[in-house]
Amino acid sequence: MTAAVKVKGAQRTGVDWFLLVLKVALISAICAGLLAFIAQQIDPGNAFARWTHDGNEANRLSGDQYKGLIVTGLSQGAMYGLIALGYSMVYGVLGFINFAHGEVFMLGAFSGFIASTQLDAAGYWEGNAFIPSVIFTVLLAVIVSTTAAVIMERVAYRPLRGSPRLIPLITSIGVSFFIQEATKLLFGPGAKGYPRPPEWFSQKYSILTFEIEGSKIIVLFVAAISMAGLWYFVERTKTGKAMRAVAEDKEIAALMGIDVNKTIVTTFAVGGAMAGVAGILWGLLFKSVIATTGFLPGIKAFTAAVVGGVGNLGGAMAGGVSLGTAEALAPLMLLEPLGVTGVTQLRDAVAFTLLILVLLVKPTGLFGERLSSEDRA
Amino acid sequence: MSATIATDTAGQGMPEAVSKGAFDLDWANVAKSGSIAALIMTFIALSGMPDGLDARPIVDGVRVLTIGYLTLFAVPLAFGWMIGNEVVLEGMVATKRGPRDLVAGAAVGALGGVGLTLLVVLMSNFDLRDPLVNWSPQLFNLLTFDSGVGVGVWVWILIGAVLGAIGASLRLLPAKIRRAVIVMFLTVVGFSVLQGLIDDIVGNVGETIRDPGRFSEFFGEGDTPRPRVDSVFDPVINFIYSQTGGLKLVGAIVLALVAGALSLSGRGRIKAAKASYNAKTGPERTKQTSIMIGITAVLLILLPFFSGKIVNELLANVGIFLLLALGLNIVVGLAGILDLGYVAFFAVGGYTTAVLTAPKPGDAWPEWLPTLPWWGALLVTVVFAAITGLMIGAPVIRMRGDYLAIVTLGFGEIIRLLFLSDWLKGYFGGAQGITNIPAADFGPLGTVSGVDPRSVFYLVLVFCALAIYVSWRLERSRLGRAWMAIREDESVAEAMGINTVNVKLMAFVVGAVLASFSGAIFSAKVGSIFPSSFLILVSIIILVVVIVGGMGNIMGVIVGALVLIGVLGGPKQPGLLQEFSEYKLLIYGALLIWMMLKRPEGLVPNVRRSRELHQDEFLQDAWLKGEVDTDDEDGELATEVAPA
């Protein structure tokens, strides 16, 4: 953002006007979509809805559908949030986007698949043994993801410390590619299905008039626990304090007797652990994993980190949840009322548009960045 | 870097190298390297590479000399070489080379072999085929050389030790001989890998020499195909290559000897020719340059006549990706903007051409949509691509470099998702894409279509030449210098009065236009266009081509495209090594990491760019030579003085 220092009263250039038009267009499209949505909720046969739907009535969303979308959005958002923590922490400490973080998440999901199929074969993926098995799987995924993140740091990123910002980013793209392809070669390119969970897991439960599937309750619960644990770790322990100090200023932190290298490794490890948990949540939500699983959630989690403000852990989680909800709601609440067909295909496009919008309107994120002065440059 | 310092100061009274005992080694380091070698070898074995590439012999008739085995053998060789690497800094004492190096190499190699031994033992006792797809009897047979566990247990330790020692022994050889040995090795592997290409071209040239009348046939004259004649070079080809694939043993040995002899005798001459070219200035140099360009042009124009359809297809693909890489080189290499959504412009170019040239692109288009000839559509495509460049460029231009990368990646995905969506299906056909795109008709010059890859090659060649000329001129223009200034330091560039926003937007536009050329050719070549041709993968692969070749260097980009796209293949297009297509993305990823770690300036570096990347080292060198005033901390002047 070096060139972004704007002086009040300075002449607007063509680019400024274009950006203004773009912002206005995006925001008015959102407003129009919302208005059309409200109108269709009141009267599905209103003139606008008929015009956008080729003379047919629009589909009104029922309260239950609406709640269902919110729950889906929340549970996916919680997962994005957990991945986003890794991006956010690494960016806070080292000032570069670890593009391969999505692959750390994928490795967690993959190890979960291997463990769960083995447990299923031994009959531990049902009945009373299910919950302990899930806990075991989560622990295993955490170990695998943490190891992957730490090795990645040691091999690919440590030698590049202090080089121009784009160099580690390009390296991380290579790492991401490598891990993806290696997984494909080692375990085969096909989709791997998680074993069938017990009945109660996919049943719906009524909580506060919300009908929630068991799997989503577990996902939200696990995400909340992990987030609480991370919060305690970062805010209340000495290591966490060291991490915050290194994020603030590496040199001063080193002068204060903090082992910067060790702290950076810890940061990668903690981020990896969160991604490992998120990997299992992915497995529980979508019940299958493939070598390319990590790519899109990875980019989306980065979006979530930016939406919440990079370097800001609470922000990352909040950004994840807002992104997940927006992704679940926007196609049906904004695009469908405007007469766009096949809206679910555009879910990913919604996430990217949100990223662009946030960076245009509020580049520091909704909750503010926490970066050292050198990284902000 | 440190090595440079060592050589620089060697003349200034370095202490004599000391000799140490053969077993006086840094054993911890040996153990560490050995374990890494073991892990890598196990990974390669389980990735399926040895198995999948086993069918491709290097030397026919020698069981273990296949590309499959080579992937395993390369590891101890490389590690044996690397373990002998010794960083000697100012004031440190070097160690004399000797049997000590061999012991280290053998130890590392043997440790690496232990990895495979463990794998063999595990494979004979457990069946982990469920998660690990390559845990197969074929791999087991390959690892045990078809002779059971008894052999498999010790043979890899032995092989590892021998290869490690060979790798290390290269350090003991004088530099000249070492170079010759490496050249011999690469020649043999290269000739076997490029068999299809060499066979094809040399065969056709030989046939034409024997029967010059064949040449007219290339222009489509003469309806009856001329009888096939034996090529003049058939004896040579038959001497080197075996009918069943791979080199003949005698042929390989002769080839290696010739290559070695050439390397020993020719080394100095290449260097001298290069130096004399560099020393020339003014019209003399211009003359020599134009002669070289002329020869290259003639060779390139003649080449497709002598190569078969497959090779021409390959060349056309290389050209299409080279065009993309040249465009990205302007954006990434010159202006320093990491655009990960570059495929968007390729897609816009392809789809615009498809919509404008296809007789019936989609139901939703209004009646007045014209059906243009290809070159007419190209003009519109260029305008569209430039607008897209501005539209994508404007929002991202002020972002931080790394945010910009991700956002452009997002744009690339958005554009692909829009082409794929049901919403715009009436216009772009959704997943079914647009089919029935006609061939590009150039009237008397002929038509360009995928059926005739030679015509595609010529079209691509014209555009590549244009792109190279444009890049070359731009690099030396005011705009190009502004780009490079921004790449080095945006704030300083702005302070110097460069309008950074406009200049960066120009980079986007130029890159977009070049990519759209490529897209237009692509749609005419394939004849149909689908969203799945425009994955993010394409952007990344072009980025790898630019980075491996050398960011900001046209020659580097050309080399990168030839080597990577030509040999390994594009995102979907097979390269010369068709067997590699399964592993090429893995290799691309590994190459990207390795280049960034070891040689960020690329294979053919741009002098200025590599100085930027290694500024610290240049300063250090200059400091050692006393060229820097110690009070001047930044050493700004010294960068100018320091030799490249």
Side-chain angles (χ1 to χ4, degrees), chain B residues 227-311:
Chain B
R228 218 188 125 75
V229 289
D230 289 338
S231 159
V232 197
F233 298 114
D234 265 354
V236 185
I237 291 287
N238 288 337
F239 179 68
I240 297 179
Y241 288 118
S242 136
Q243 290 293 333
T244 49
L247 302 165
K248 280 183 183 160
L249 187 56
V250 189
I253 292 170
V254 172
L255 202 61
L257 290 178
V258 170
L262 281 178
S263 157
L264 282 180
S265 64
R267 173 70 192 173
R269 266 176 243 166
I270 295 175
K271 232 176 188 172
K274 215 172 160 185
S276 89
Y277 173 72
N278 283 334
K280 278 181 188 140
T281 48
E284 210 178 338
R285 182 168 167 148
T286 323
K287 194 179 152 203
Q288 201 164 357
T289 314
S290 27
I291 290 175
M292 282 197 305
I293 292 176
I295 292 175
T296 321
V298 170
L299 281 181
L300 278 176
I301 289 171
L302 285 180
L303 179 64
F305 288 118
F306 299 107
S307 49
K309 207 163 184 176
I310 297 171
V311 175

Side-chain angles (χ1 to χ4, degrees), chain A residues 1-3 6 13 15-16 18-19 22 91 95 97 99 114 118 155-156 159-160 165-167 169-171 173-175 177-178 181-182 185-188 295 299 302 306 310 340-342 345-346 348-349 352-353 355-356 359-360 369 371 375-377, chain B residues 43 46-47 130-134 336 338 340 390-391 394-395 397-403 405-407 409-411 413-414 417-418 420-423 490-491 494 500-501 505 536-537 540 543 547 582-583 585-586 588-590 592-593 596-597 600 613:
Chain A
M1 300 294 291
T2 38
K6 267 192 214 145
T13 59
V15 173
D16 288 318
F18 176 76
L19 291 188
L22 194 69
Y91 203 102
I97 301 170
F99 201 84
I114 293 170
Q118 299 301 328
V155 173
L160 292 173
R165 186 199 291 270
L166 288 183
I167 302 257
L169 173 61
I170 297 174
T171 316
I173 295 173
V175 174
F177 240 64
F178 185 83
E181 290 302 316
L185 289 177
L186 289 181
F187 301 106
F295 180 72
I299 306 280
F302 173 73
V306 172
V310 169
V340 177
T341 45
Q345 294 171 324
L346 295 173
D348 302 336
F352 293 126
T353 316
L355 172 67
I356 295 163
L359 283 176
L360 280 181
E369 291 179 315
L371 295 176
D375 288 337
R376 217 170 283 134
Chain B
F43 168 73
L46 286 176
S47 75
D130 184 9
L132 295 164
V133 285
N134 291 308
L338 184 59
L340 293 182
L390 284 175
M391 301 266 277
I397 216 79
R398 292 211 179 106
M399 291 174 187
R400 274 180 218 145
D402 43 4
Y403 278 24
I406 305 288
V407 173
L409 187 140
F411 268 119
E413 267 305 89
I414 290 179
L417 287 169
L418 287 180
L420 180 68
S421 68
D422 282 346
W423 179 38
E490 200 172 328
S491 313
E494 198 169 21
T500 50
V501 169
L505 271 180
I536 289 299
L537 185 69
I540 310 276
L543 182 72
I547 284 174
E582 221 178 306
Y583 317 106
L585 294 178
L586 184 85
Y588 278 135
L592 200 53
I593 306 172
M596 280 294 115
L597 290 177
L613 286 166

Side-chain angles (χ1 to χ4, degrees), chain B residues 156-509:
Chain B
W156 278 103
I157 302 183
L158 192 73
I159 291 176
V162 171
L163 288 173
I166 292 177
S169 70
L170 282 178
R171 294 241 178 225
L172 305 181
L173 297 173
K176 210 174 165 187
I177 311 244
R178 187 196 306 153
R179 201 174 295 126
V181 171
I182 293 173
V183 166
M184 282 158 78
F185 177 72
L186 290 182
T187 311
V188 171
V189 175
F191 264 77
S192 106
V193 162
L194 301 180
Q195 178 171 11
L197 183 75
I198 295 170
D199 219 359
D200 196 20
I201 293 181
V202 174
N204 276 327
V205 172
E207 280 179 33
T208 314
I209 291 174
R210 176 144 301 169
D211 177 14
R214 283 181 71 81
F215 198 76
S216 63
E217 199 184 298
F218 295 130
F219 298 100
E221 290 159 21
D223 292 327
T224 46
R226 299 178 81 89
R228 218 188 125 75
V229 289
D230 289 338
S231 159
V232 197
F233 298 114
D234 265 354
V236 185
I237 291 287
N238 288 337
F239 179 68
I240 297 179
Y241 288 118
S242 136
Q243 290 293 333
T244 49
L247 302 165
K248 280 183 183 160
L249 187 56
V250 189
I253 292 170
V254 172
L255 202 61
L257 290 178
V258 170
L262 281 178
S263 157
L264 282 180
S265 64
R267 173 70 192 173
R269 266 176 243 166
I270 295 175
K271 232 176 188 172
K274 215 172 160 185
S276 89
Y277 173 72
N278 283 334
K280 278 181 188 140
T281 48
E284 210 178 338
R285 182 168 167 148
T286 323
K287 194 179 152 203
Q288 201 164 357
T289 314
S290 27
I291 290 175
M292 282 197 305
I293 292 176
I295 292 175
T296 321
V298 170
L299 281 181
L300 278 176
I301 289 171
L302 285 180
L303 179 64
F305 288 118
F306 299 107
S307 49
K309 207 163 184 176
I310 297 171
V311 175
N312 280 337
E313 171 84 23
L314 195 90
L315 287 172
N317 283 335
V318 170
I320 284 176
F321 282 94
L322 173 61
L323 200 48
L324 283 172
L326 284 167
L328 189 66
N329 180 46
I330 288 180
V331 184
V332 176
L334 291 188
I337 307 169
L338 184 59
D339 181 356
L340 293 182
Y342 193 65
V343 66
F345 306 126
F346 185 45
V348 167
Y351 267 97
T352 316
T353 312
V355 165
L356 288 172
T357 55
K360 195 90 187 81
D363 314 325
W365 290 105
E367 281 298 317
W368 49 262
L369 181 86
T371 306
L372 299 173
W374 186 83
W375 52 267
L378 185 72
L379 296 177
V380 186
T381 304
V382 166
V383 176
F384 258 79
I387 294 174
T388 320
L390 284 175
M391 301 266 277
I392 293 184
V396 302
I397 216 79
R398 292 211 179 106
M399 291 174 187
R400 274 180 218 145
D402 43 4
Y403 278 24
L404 186 147
I406 305 288
V407 173
T408 46
L409 187 140
F411 268 119
E413 267 305 89
I414 290 179
I415 287 196
R416 185 181 69 87
L417 287 169
L418 287 180
F419 283 135
L420 180 68
S421 68
D422 282 346
W423 179 38
L424 300 177
K425 194 169 183 179
Y427 297 96
F428 303 116
Q432 281 80 45
I434 299 176
T435 46
N436 66 47
I437 303 168
D441 193 352
F442 289 93
L445 292 172
T447 52
V448 172
S449 71
V451 194
D452 179 13
R454 198 198 298 157
S455 63
V456 182
F457 172 78
Y458 283 128
L459 186 62
V460 160
L461 192 65
V462 170
F463 278 96
C464 280
L466 179 74
I468 290 170
Y469 181 73
V470 168
S471 315
W472 179 67
R473 294 295 297 174
L474 274 178
E475 201 180 326
R476 280 152 189 80
S477 71
R478 193 182 169 83
L479 185 62
R481 276 178 279 132
W483 282 336
M484 284 184 268
I486 288 177
R487 179 183 72 197
E488 282 186 49
D489 194 323
E490 200 172 328
S491 313
V492 174
E494 198 169 21
M496 290 291 123
I498 294 171
N499 184 340
T500 50
V501 169
N502 287 2
V503 168
K504 279 163 99 177
L505 271 180
M506 274 308 288
F508 262 95
V509 170

Side-chain angles (χ1 to χ4, degrees), chain A residues 261-275:
Chain A
N261 260 339
K262 210 173 113 189
T263 313
I264 290 175
V265 172
T266 319
T267 311
F268 270 90
V270 174
M274 291 294 138

Side-chain angles (χ1 to χ4, degrees), chain B residues 516-560:
Chain B
S516 74
F517 286 153
S518 186
I521 299 172
F522 181 77
S523 71
K525 170 178 178 276
V526 181
S528 51
I529 206 155
F530 312 101
S532 62
S533 309
F534 304 107
L535 299 174
I536 289 299
L537 185 69
V538 181
S539 304
I540 310 276
I541 284 183
I542 304 163
L543 182 72
V544 180
V545 168
V546 172
I547 284 174
V548 168
M551 272 190 274
N553 188 329
I554 301 169
M555 205 53 217
V557 174
I558 297 173
V559 170

